[in-house]
Amino acid sequence: MARTRGQDGTSTFVRVFGYTVISLFALFCVVPFFLVLGTSFTAEKSITLHGYNLWPREFSLFAYDIVFQNPRLITGAYVVTICITLVGTAVGLFIVAMTGYALQRPDFRARNTISFLIYFTTLFQGGVVPFYIIMTTWFQLKDNYLSVLLPGLMTPFLIIMMKSFVRSIPHDITESAKMDGAGDFRIFLQLILPMTTPALATIGLFIAIGYWNEWYNAMLFLSPNMDFRPLQLFLYNVVTSADFVRNSSVASNVQPQDMPMESMKMATAVVATGPVILFYPLVQRFFIKGITVGAVKG
């Protein structure tokens, strides 16, 4: 049956309205980033007089000069963060995928008990002090990069998400592979993983962003005596040191009123988020598909 004019008009109106709302929402998301970018290239005096602007009224690279005043330290911070992110994402994704696959198998008797224990940790936690004692006294991980790497390998929320993703795969596939003589690990590697590519990309992105933005555990377990610390903690220390210099009466060669505190905060945000923004388009299509896979029962 052909569509009537009324139906065509309604469809066009809904489409135009949807595109308008999405465009406005995208604009609201993009404008703050350009505001941060423009402010990072603005002189501090201009920010004080005119406030934040999308385009710098008085162009200045002073904030980036302070952030990059020691290229060796910031390069080392980048290398440490990239290595932790790559290793943590690869290992964490593999562990989360295996756990999610095991917990959804009907022939795994302890799946409900283990699922409850994993979910329980999202509601109740031991606190910072027991966590610090375990990491430093029991595991002896003080001033060790493993203290930043290990806590992020298994995230309860991501395990639950992976479990819902794998649940959409019929269990008959596993049973058929078993009848053909395949072992559990081979089934997981050759059958389950290729079928969960969108889920792996989605969860991998969450894990990678978590490691990239990690600074709290680094602050707890990595002392300033170490040559290099993760990027986020390094940038946090740069801003904190600049704030101390600005508020100190013995500021070196820089006048306290000239210290670019606001522009430097924006510059550190640009330095920290730039690589993530460049990486996201590569996994965007998998991310969008992976978000919706668990919502549809196959």
Side-chain angles (χ1 to χ4, degrees):
M1 182 181 294
R3 289 187 176 183
T4 63
R5 292 183 179 180
Q7 290 176 333
D8 292 338
T10 303
S11 177
T12 302
F13 172 77
V14 171
R15 195 159 42 239
V16 171
F17 178 77
Y19 288 152
T20 303
V21 172
I22 293 175
S23 300
L24 290 175
F25 181 76
L27 184 64
F28 289 148
C29 295
V30 171
V31 167
F33 175 76
F34 283 105
L35 185 64
V36 170
L37 185 63
T39 305
S40 67
F41 289 103
T42 305
E44 188 72 10
K45 292 181 179 179
S46 178
I47 298 175
T48 304
L49 293 175
H50 306 288
Y52 300 107
N53 293 281
L54 293 176
W55 187 258
R57 287 176 176 264
E58 184 179 346
F59 187 82
S60 174
L61 293 175
F62 192 19
Y64 288 95
D65 289 338
I66 295 178
V67 174
F68 291 98
Q69 65 180 348
N70 195 329
R72 175 178 173 272
L73 290 180
I74 195 168
T75 302
Y78 260 113
V79 172
V80 168
T81 301
I82 291 174
C83 291
I84 291 177
T85 300
L86 292 178
V87 175
T89 302
V91 178
L93 187 60
F94 190 70
I95 294 176
V96 168
M98 283 197 301
T99 306
Y101 169 64
L103 293 180
Q104 62 81 38
R105 286 187 52 164
D107 54 346
F108 181 44
R109 296 182 179 179
R111 67 183 186 278
N112 293 330
T113 302
I114 296 178
S115 297
F116 171 76
L117 294 176
I118 292 175
Y119 177 72
F120 184 82
T121 61
T122 64
L123 303 177
F124 303 96
Q125 299 180 1
V128 177
V129 175
F131 176 60
Y132 183 84
I133 293 175
I134 289 175
M135 297 295 289
T136 58
T137 304
W138 288 12
F139 296 152
Q140 300 292 327
L141 293 179
K142 182 67 175 177
D143 290 340
N144 192 319
Y145 292 124
L146 288 177
S147 61
V148 181
L149 180 67
L150 293 180
L153 291 181
M154 293 191 69
T155 304
F157 170 73
L158 298 182
I159 293 176
I160 296 172
M161 182 183 294
M162 189 68 196
K163 178 182 175 182
S164 66
F165 283 145
V166 182
R167 189 179 298 166
S168 62
I169 301 176
H171 186 63
D172 296 340
I173 296 177
T174 301
E175 294 295 332
S176 299
K178 277 191 171 184
M179 293 178 61
D180 292 336
D184 291 330
F185 201 68
R186 185 178 180 182
I187 294 173
F188 173 72
L189 290 179
Q190 297 185 0
L191 293 179
I192 303 301
L193 285 184
M195 298 177 67
T196 57
T197 301
L200 295 176
T202 303
I203 295 175
L205 182 62
F206 283 132
I207 296 176
I209 292 177
Y211 276 116
W212 186 267
N213 293 330
E214 172 58 48
W215 67 275
Y216 185 72
N217 290 336
M219 181 185 67
L220 287 178
F221 304 116
L222 304 182
S223 66
N225 298 327
M226 299 189 67
D227 292 335
F228 305 110
R229 295 196 288 176
L231 179 65
Q232 304 291 344
L233 182 59
F234 172 78
L235 296 176
Y236 171 79
N237 290 333
V238 169
V239 175
T240 304
S241 301
D243 188 41
F244 172 78
V245 171
R246 184 177 186 177
N247 295 326
S248 175
S249 59
V250 291
S252 56
N253 295 327
V254 180
Q255 296 298 325
Q257 64 271 17
D258 294 333
M259 182 63 68
M261 287 304 304
E262 297 302 322
S263 58
M264 190 167 63
K265 291 176 183 178
M266 303 304 176
T268 56
V270 173
V271 172
T273 59
V276 177
I277 294 176
L278 296 177
F279 173 74
Y280 178 75
L282 300 177
V283 297
Q284 180 183 11
R285 62 190 182 93
F286 295 108
F287 180 78
I288 296 174
K289 185 177 180 181
I291 285 292
T292 59
V293 166
V296 180
K297 296 293 183 181

